[in-house]
Each structure stands twice: as structure tokens, then as C-alpha cells.
Amino acid sequence: MNLIFMGPPGAGKGTQARRIAEKYGIPQLSTGDMLRAAVKAGTPVGLQAKAAMESGGLVTDAIVVGIIGDRIGEADCANGFILDGFPRTVGQAEALDTMLTERGLKIDQVIDITAADEALVSRITGRRTCGKCGEGYHIEHKAPAVENVCDKCGGALVTRADDTEETVRNRLTVYHAQTAPVLNFYRGKGEIKVVDGMQDMNVVFDALCAIIG
Ligand code: ADP
Ligand code: ADP
Ligand code: ZN
């Protein structure tokens, strides 16, 4: 099962992809997570990606297509994968198509998780992530039992450097200009499923499971 989760920053792609990955036993491939790891490790890709990520702009298609091309060839993707945060431009979607065709693969579902821009700013400024295990939290909607401590592993929660109000507004502008057209690209190729990401997290999860089957 090869899935694409689309949606604006803060819609809940990462939250849901982690749960779906666990339930269906297929990996979550988040280009954002991979790029943050590269920045942290100071790799050549990380050095190239850093400035765009800090400002809320997009990293070049060549970099992210390269990362995903390598990643989907790994053994744990043999039964499928969830693309979270990729493709973000029509160019990336076209490159993905080519890579999949070359490997005899296809996308089974493109799912658009929608949310209103106004809700997304507080979703993102309130987002916290466990620095140790990666579990996601929100200061209001999914607060840990002890402030800033992960319920699952006891790790410290961190706030992403790009989760400021100013950067979020930039990311939303970039989303509407460059990523929303990707939905039309997939609409033109067939069906795309829409799930209302403003619903409770568990309701969103159930809706996704109903689509995936
Ligand atoms: P994305 O990966 O699409 O950027 P995340 O999954 O990281 O989004 O979610 C952004 C923030 O919103 C997180 O703090 C998360 O806990 C919270 N969140 C996710 N889904 C919901 C929801 N359905 N209702 C309320 N808050 C949510
Ligand atoms: P969110 O879903 O909360 O917007 P991500 O973790 O998916 O955040 O992405 C963080 C940043 O990483 C983006 O603002 C962008 O700079 C970069 N990035 C992630 N995925 C891509 C991609 N497919 N193409 C270009 N840049 C990307
Ligand atoms: Zn943790």
C-alpha cells in the first residue's frame, strides 16, 4: 500500500502518518524529518537545505527527489510507504511518477487532509515533539501528562525552530502557491480522497483507516 498524505502545514499529516504506519506496518517517509536530521548532522544536503527551512521556503526539488528516491528503494518500503510532506511541487509529483514507473510501483491513495488557515497558526505554534522518540504533542489539543515531558518515553519535548507565527504564515503562502496545485495534478490522474482535518484526531484516524481499508 503506497500512500500520499497531502495537506497544509499543521493539518495533522505527521500525527496521522505515525499512527497509520504503526497500524499497517509500513514506514512514514517524512521529508521534513529527513531534512531536519540532515541539518542536525551537518551533511551536504543539510547545509544546502538549512536556509530555506528556516525561512519557511521550499528546499529544491532535486534535493528532496533524491532523498525520496533513495528511501523508497530501502527494504522496509517493500510492502508500501506513507509519503508525508512530499510531493510539495508539481515538479516533485512528476519526478515521483517517473521513479515509481521505473520500479513498477504506483500510488494507491492520495489523501488530502484539509484544515482552515486560521486554525493552522495555533496548531503549529502549539506543536511540541519528543526529542527522543519523535512522538508529537500539542500544548492544548494533545498535552502530555507532565509539561514538556513525553508520555511515551520520558524524553524532553522540543519546539521546532521554524514553528514561529511569522514562518508559519510564510509556509502557508508557499503551500497555497506551490503545493495546492499538486492536488490538481492528482485530480487529473484520478480520484483523490479528502478528510476533514479539523475533526478530532481519533475521528480523522478512523476516516483514514476506512479509506485505506
Ligand atoms: P503536519 O505534519 O501536517 O504539519 P502535525 O501532525 O505535526 O501536522 O500536527 C500539527 C499540530 O496539531 C501538532 O501539535 C498536533 O498534535 C496537532 N494536531 C494534529 N491533528 C489535530 C487535530 N485533529 N485536532 C487538533 N490538533 C491536532
Ligand atoms: P510541515 O508539514 O509542518 O509544514 P515539514 O516537516 O513537512 O513541515 O517540513 C518542514 C520544512 O522542510 C518545510 O518548510 C520545507 O522548508 C522543507 N521541506 C519538507 N519537505 C519538503 C519538500 N517535499 N519539498 C521542499 N521542501 C520541503
Ligand atoms: Zn518520547
Side-chain angles (χ1 to χ4, degrees):
M1 180 72 69
N2 301 325
L3 308 170
I4 298 180
F5 285 5
M6 298 286 301
K13 302 179 297 296
T15 301
Q16 300 299 337
R18 274 178 79 84
R19 291 181 65 176
I20 295 292
E22 195 182 340
K23 174 167 173 171
Y24 291 88
I26 53 176
Q28 167 200 13
L29 310 188
S30 159
T31 40
D33 287 349
M34 296 177 209
L35 290 167
R36 276 185 291 280
V39 169
K40 202 171 164 195
T43 65
V45 160
L47 293 175
Q48 278 178 276
K50 196 167 188 278
M53 293 178 77
E54 275 170 358
S55 68
L58 293 182
V59 173
T60 64
D61 286 356
I63 289 182
V64 289
V65 167
I67 291 178
I68 287 293
D70 291 343
R71 187 66 187 85
I72 60 178
E74 287 178 25
D76 65 335
C77 292
N79 293 325
F81 48 77
I82 308 161
L83 292 174
D84 161 14
F86 178 93
R88 255 178 159 94
T89 65
V90 172
Q92 291 175 23
E94 287 169 345
L96 174 65
D97 241 29
T98 307
M99 291 192 294
L100 293 175
T101 307
E102 280 168 4
R103 297 165 201 228
L105 299 172
K106 66 172 179 60
I107 295 297
D108 297 294
Q109 297 281 1
V110 179
I111 306 176
D112 182 26
I113 305 177
T114 59
D117 277 13
E118 286 331 297
L120 296 174
V121 175
S122 67
R123 283 258 187 113
I124 288 192
T125 53
R127 171 161 58 189
R128 301 289 182 271
T129 311
C130 175
K132 206 167 151 192
C133 76
E135 182 70 9
Y137 292 89
H138 189 279
I139 53 172
E140 286 163 33
H141 309 302
K142 190 185 164 188
V146 178
E147 203 179 333
N148 284 320
V149 178
C150 178
D151 291 342
K152 295 215 161 156
C153 79
L157 304 191
V158 293
T159 305
R160 269 169 52 182
D162 61 340
D163 278 353
T164 62
E165 178 157 355
E166 192 196 352
T167 311
V168 173
R169 297 218 179 265
N170 241 342
R171 282 154 63 195
L172 287 172
T173 306
V174 169
Y175 171 80
H176 290 296
Q178 302 206 58
T179 307
V182 177
L183 293 169
N184 282 330
F185 173 87
Y186 285 116
R187 267 186 212 111
K189 293 171 73 74
E191 215 183 347
I192 113 171
K193 302 278 166 49
V194 180
V195 171
D196 178 5
M198 298 299 288
Q199 305 174 97
D200 177 89
M201 284 180 214
N202 294 320
V203 176
V204 175
F205 180 68
D206 290 343
L208 292 169
C209 292
I211 291 169
I212 298 163

